[in-house]
Amino acid sequence: MAVDLHIHTTASDGWLTPVQVVHKAQAASLAGIAITDHDTLEGLNILKEAGYLPSASPVIVPGIEFSTDLPEHEVHILAYGMDPQHQELQNYLQELIRDRLTRVEKMLAKLTQLGYPLEYRRVRELAGNAKALGRPHVARALIEKGYFLTIAEVFERLLMKNGPAYVPHYKLMPEEVIRLIHRAGGAAVLAHPGQIHNDDIVAGLITAGLDGLEAYHPHHCADEAERYQQWALDSGLLTTGGSDYHGMPGRFPEQLGVFTAEDAVLAQLQQFLHIA
Ligand code: AMP
Ligand code: ZN
Ligand code: FE
Ligand code: FE
C-alpha cells in the first residue's frame, strides 16, 4: 500500500478542494494522506465539516507545511499530528495568515514599481477561499494580465527567493517552529531537505530537534532520497515522503498516486505520535 504525506489544497495554493483531494486519494487506493497546506489547518476543518473522520479510508493525518525563511534559504517544516485546538498554535497560524495578506500587498507594490501593476482585489478573487495567500496566487494574476506565460517564468523572473519582487515570510526561525510543533504535540519533519542545497543547515536543524526528514519528494534525485533516508535511519529519525501535490496543470505530479511513499512511513509516524 502507498501513502502520500505532502498534499496541498485550495486552503492554500492547491487547485483541488480538500474533499476533491480525498476522492482522488480514494480513487488512487492510497492507504493514508496528509493534508499539508502552507501555514493553515483550514483544509482539515473543511474535511471535518464535510463529515470526514481521520480514521476513514484513506487515513487522514493532520498536517501543516510551515514556511520559514533564513537569509539565503527557504526552509519548510512539515508538522504532523499536532492538536489543532492548541491555543498557541492557533494564535501563531492567525498571525501567519494575516502576514501573508500584507506580504501580497508588499509584493504588489514592488511589482508596480517594476512595471507589472496588479489589483489586490483580483489576486484575492483568484485565490478563492484560500486562507493562506502565496506567490502562486500572485503568479496567476500576472499570467492573467498577459505579462508572463507560465508560473515557472514568473518565479524565475520575479518571485523566487530574493528575486526583484520577493518579500520574505513572517519572521520565525525554523528552530522556534520546531519547538512550537512539539508544544502542540506534533512531529516536526524537514520538508524536501535537498531543496535547501546545504546539509550543514539540515544538520543544525536535526540538532535543534527535528523528528524526521522527508526523504521521498519529487524534487529529490534517487541519490538524495537514499542519502536522507540513511541519515534519518542513522540519527534515529522518522523518514517520510509525499508528492507535494498541488493539482496544478503542468506541475508534477498532476495526479495523486503517481508519486508515493511506502505505508511503513505512515505506520512509523503513527507510532511516533501514539495514534496507531
Ligand atoms: P509562498 O507560500 O508564497 O512562499 O509560495 C510557495 C509556493 O510557491 C509553493 O507551492 C512552491 O512550490 C511554489 N514555488 C516556489 N518556487 C517555485 C518555482 N520556482 N516555480 C514554481 N513554483 C514555485
Ligand atoms: Zn504550495
Ligand atoms: Fe515546500
Ligand atoms: Fe509543499
Side-chain angles (χ1 to χ4, degrees):
M1 292 290 274
V3 301
D4 187 340
L5 300 183
H6 191 152
I7 299 176
H8 297 273
T9 76
T10 46
S12 64
D13 55 7
W15 288 45
L16 263 54
T17 65
V19 170
Q20 286 171 324
V21 161
V22 171
H23 287 163
K24 296 263 183 202
Q26 285 166 344
S29 302
L30 294 180
I33 58 171
I35 306 282
T36 53
D37 275 305
H38 301 287
D39 299 345
T40 182
L41 277 163
E42 184 63 11
L44 203 70
N45 296 334
I46 291 167
L47 285 178
K48 269 188 205 147
E49 277 164 26
Y52 288 87
L53 298 172
S55 57
S57 178
V59 169
I60 302 167
V61 181
I64 304 172
E65 184 175 20
F66 282 102
S67 307
T68 71
D69 261 320
L70 294 175
E72 298 299 328
H73 302 274
E74 287 184 62
V75 176
H76 292 178
I77 312 256
L78 293 159
Y80 292 113
M82 57 280 143
D83 169 15
Q85 306 302 330
H86 189 266
Q87 196 59 52
E88 188 193 357
L89 175 67
Q90 284 194 352
N91 294 347
Y92 180 52
L93 290 174
Q94 248 175 37
E95 276 178 62
L96 292 180
I97 295 308
R98 256 201 311 272
D99 178 75
R100 278 178 171 275
L101 295 174
T102 51
R103 176 172 175 252
V104 165
E105 291 186 274
K106 287 180 197 165
M107 283 193 261
L108 297 196
K110 284 191 164 191
L111 286 168
T112 299
Q113 290 223 317
L114 292 162
Y116 305 102
L118 285 180
E119 278 181 46
Y120 181 64
R121 191 176 51 83
R122 187 59 192 145
V123 178
R124 293 294 300 267
E125 273 171 14
L126 284 173
N129 293 325
K131 269 263 179 180
L133 259 61
R135 287 174 284 168
H137 301 118
V138 175
R140 273 190 238 170
L142 286 165
I143 290 166
E144 184 187 61
K145 273 269 198 170
Y147 296 135
F148 299 94
L149 288 176
T150 64
I151 291 191
E153 192 186 352
V154 174
F155 271 86
E156 179 66 28
R157 294 275 301 278
L158 297 170
L159 292 180
M160 66 183 185
K161 172 85 179 173
N162 296 338
Y166 182 75
V167 176
H169 294 92
Y170 183 81
K171 282 274 173 272
L172 200 73
M173 302 304 280
E175 294 80 358
E176 294 174 61
V177 169
I178 293 170
R179 285 195 287 270
L180 173 61
I181 293 168
H182 287 161
R183 287 197 293 277
V189 174
L190 184 59
H192 40 74
Q195 289 282 96
I196 301 174
H197 302 295
N198 184 331
D199 278 351
D200 291 342
I201 291 178
V202 178
L205 293 173
I206 291 174
T207 306
L210 275 181
D211 304 302
L213 299 178
E214 185 184 49
Y216 312 115
H217 184 277
H219 290 153
H220 287 171
C221 62
D223 282 356
E224 282 173 317
E226 163 68 22
R227 190 155 51 85
Y228 290 116
Q229 192 250 333
Q230 192 60 47
W231 194 348
L233 195 66
D234 293 344
S235 313
L237 298 175
L238 298 165
T239 298
T240 73
S243 69
D244 214 344
Y245 178 77
H246 282 72
M248 182 196 290
R251 175 175 175 155
F252 180 86
E254 293 195 27
Q255 301 295 331
L256 270 188
V258 170
F259 185 100
T260 56
E262 289 173 17
D263 56 2
V265 304
L266 174 60
Q268 261 185 16
L269 177 63
Q270 287 175 314
Q271 203 175 20
F272 181 87
L273 293 166
H274 305 292
I275 58 173

Coordinates of all heavy atoms in Angstrom, one line a residue, residues 13 38 67 74 100 103 133-136 151-152 155 169 246 251, ligand 1:
D13 N -2.3 27.0 -1.7 CA -2.2 27.2 -3.2 C -2.4 26.0 -4.0 O -2.0 26.0 -5.2 CB -0.8 27.8 -3.4 CG 0.3 27.0 -2.9 OD1 0.1 25.9 -2.4 OD2 1.5 27.4 -2.9
H38 N 0.1 25.2 3.2 CA 1.1 26.2 3.8 C 0.4 27.0 4.9 O -0.6 27.7 4.7 CB 1.5 27.2 2.7 CG 2.1 26.6 1.5 ND1 3.4 26.1 1.5 CD2 1.7 26.3 0.2 CE1 3.7 25.6 0.3 NE2 2.7 25.7 -0.5
S67 N 6.3 27.7 6.4 CA 7.3 28.4 5.6 C 8.2 29.2 6.5 O 7.7 30.2 7.0 CB 6.7 29.3 4.6 OG 5.7 28.6 3.8
E74 N 15.0 29.1 1.9 CA 13.7 28.9 2.4 C 13.7 27.5 3.0 O 14.2 26.5 2.4 CB 12.7 28.8 1.2 CG 12.4 30.2 0.6 CD 11.4 30.0 -0.5 OE1 10.2 29.6 -0.2 OE2 11.7 30.3 -1.7
R100 N 0.5 37.0 5.6 CA 0.5 36.6 4.2 C -0.3 37.6 3.4 O 0.0 37.9 2.2 CB 0.0 35.2 4.0 CG 1.1 34.1 4.2 CD 0.5 32.7 4.1 NE 1.5 31.7 4.1 CZ 2.2 31.3 3.0 NH1 2.0 31.9 1.8 NH2 3.2 30.4 3.1
R103 N 1.9 40.6 3.1 CA 3.0 40.3 2.2 C 2.6 40.4 0.7 O 3.4 40.9 -0.1 CB 3.4 38.8 2.5 CG 4.5 38.2 1.7 CD 5.0 36.9 2.2 NE 5.9 36.2 1.4 CZ 5.7 35.1 0.7 NH1 4.5 34.6 0.7 NH2 6.6 34.6 0.0
L133 N -2.6 33.0 1.5 CA -2.2 33.6 0.2 C -0.7 33.4 0.0 O 0.0 33.5 0.9 CB -2.6 35.1 0.1 CG -3.8 35.4 -0.6 CD1 -5.0 34.8 0.0 CD2 -4.0 36.9 -0.7
G134 N -0.4 33.2 -1.3 CA 1.1 33.0 -1.6 C 1.4 33.4 -2.9 O 0.6 33.9 -3.7
R135 N 2.7 33.2 -3.2 CA 3.2 33.7 -4.5 C 2.5 33.0 -5.7 O 2.3 33.7 -6.7 CB 4.7 33.4 -4.6 CG 5.6 34.3 -3.7 CD 7.0 33.9 -3.7 NE 7.2 32.7 -2.8 CZ 8.3 32.1 -2.8 NH1 9.4 32.4 -3.6 NH2 8.5 31.0 -2.0
P136 N 2.1 31.8 -5.7 CA 1.4 31.2 -6.8 C 0.1 32.0 -7.2 O -0.2 32.1 -8.3 CB 1.1 29.8 -6.4 CG 2.2 29.4 -5.4 CD 2.4 30.7 -4.7
I151 N 3.9 29.9 -14.7 CA 4.2 30.2 -13.3 C 5.7 30.1 -13.1 O 6.4 30.9 -12.4 CB 3.5 29.2 -12.4 CG1 2.0 29.6 -12.5 CG2 4.0 29.3 -11.0 CD1 1.1 28.9 -11.5
A152 N 6.3 29.1 -13.8 CA 7.8 28.9 -13.7 C 8.5 30.2 -14.1 O 9.5 30.6 -13.5 CB 8.2 27.7 -14.5
F155 N 8.3 33.0 -11.5 CA 9.2 32.7 -10.3 C 10.6 33.1 -10.8 O 11.3 33.7 -10.0 CB 9.1 31.3 -9.8 CG 8.0 31.1 -8.8 CD1 6.7 30.9 -9.1 CD2 8.4 31.2 -7.4 CE1 5.7 30.7 -8.1 CE2 7.4 31.1 -6.4 CZ 6.1 30.8 -6.8
H169 N 8.8 35.8 4.3 CA 7.6 35.5 5.2 C 7.8 36.1 6.5 O 8.9 36.6 6.9 CB 7.5 34.0 5.3 CG 7.2 33.2 4.1 ND1 8.2 32.7 3.2 CD2 6.0 32.9 3.5 CE1 7.6 32.1 2.2 NE2 6.3 32.2 2.4
H246 N -0.1 19.7 -5.9 CA -0.9 20.9 -5.9 C -2.1 20.9 -6.8 O -2.8 21.8 -6.9 CB 0.0 22.1 -6.3 CG 0.9 22.6 -5.2 ND1 2.0 21.9 -4.7 CD2 0.9 23.7 -4.4 CE1 2.7 22.6 -3.8 NE2 2.0 23.7 -3.6
R251 N 2.5 20.9 -13.3 CA 3.4 20.7 -12.2 C 3.3 19.3 -11.8 O 2.3 18.8 -11.4 CB 3.0 21.7 -11.0 CG 3.8 21.4 -9.8 CD 3.6 22.4 -8.7 NE 4.3 22.0 -7.5 CZ 4.7 22.9 -6.5 NH1 4.3 24.1 -6.6 NH2 5.3 22.5 -5.5
Ligands
AMP1 P1 4.9 31.1 -0.7 O1 4.0 30.3 0.2 O2 4.4 32.4 -1.1 O3 6.3 31.1 -0.3 O4 4.9 30.2 -2.1 C1 5.3 28.9 -2.0 C2 4.8 28.1 -3.3 O5 5.5 28.6 -4.4 C3 5.0 26.6 -3.2 O6 3.8 26.0 -3.7 C4 6.2 26.4 -4.1 O7 6.2 25.1 -4.6 C5 6.0 27.4 -5.1 N1 7.2 27.7 -5.8 C6 8.4 28.1 -5.2 N2 9.4 28.2 -6.1 C7 8.8 28.0 -7.3 C8 9.2 28.0 -8.7 N3 10.5 28.3 -9.0 N4 8.3 27.7 -9.7 C9 7.1 27.4 -9.4 N5 6.6 27.4 -8.1 C10 7.4 27.6 -7.1

